[in-house]
Amino acid sequence: MKLAIGDVVRACDDKALGTVAGVVGRGREKLVMIHGYGGMRRFTEPGGLELVARHTAPMTMGRQAVALIALGLALLAAYIGCHSARDLGASWLLSFLAGFGGYGAVMTAYQWWFRLTGPRRFRV
């Protein structure tokens, strides 16, 4: 299981909700520190946790700009692919698929960039 600080988890034994505060461990034994309601702090084994929600930070202005640029490039690639296929005499279905492929290629590259530069997860 991969956890990030701030993820909401539920302990399987007593169904207590809390947020991940850190990972502590020596060698193969790892414990997850959970902050719960009312100031509750406890250490739990990762096998006894159930992930409820992932913590996501709000997008910064830079990431929003990159998302808009990626969307614009994807639409441009779709137009170029569709128009080029149509000029070569392709049917409407093949033109649509060429445009969809161009859009998909750019958006896949953006999603991989976002995943590589996104929040770090800890394997526990």
Side-chain angles (χ1 to χ4, degrees):
M1 172 187 310
K2 285 190 172 184
L3 294 174
I5 294 175
D7 287 349
V8 179
V9 293
R10 178 181 5 211
C12 292
D13 54 356
D14 62 353
K15 303 295 183 195
L17 282 175
T19 58
V20 175
V23 178
V24 179
R26 291 186 194 147
R28 292 186 159 257
E29 295 181 18
K30 294 193 180 193
L31 297 175
V32 179
M33 183 177 184
I34 300 173
H35 281 232
Y37 299 107
M40 175 196 74
R41 292 182 185 157
R42 71 183 212 188
F43 292 95
T44 308
E45 293 182 5
L49 294 175
E50 178 182 343
L51 184 64
V52 176
R54 293 250 184 232
H55 169 72
T56 56
M59 286 184 73
T60 62
M61 292 298 286
R63 283 192 183 265
Q64 288 177 1
V66 170
L68 285 176
I69 291 170
L71 180 63
L73 287 175
L75 291 175
L76 181 66
Y79 172 76
I80 290 171
C82 187
H83 190 67
S84 298
R86 197 73 177 146
D87 284 347
L88 292 172
S91 66
W92 68 270
L93 179 62
L94 192 56
S95 297
F96 173 76
L97 291 176
F100 187 68
Y103 178 84
V106 173
M107 291 310 286
T108 300
Y110 166 71
Q111 288 172 349
W112 275 104
W113 172 81
F114 193 75
R115 178 172 289 212
L116 290 174
T117 60
R120 302 292 181 243
R121 304 268 180 227
F122 302 101
R123 182 169 297 278
V124 291

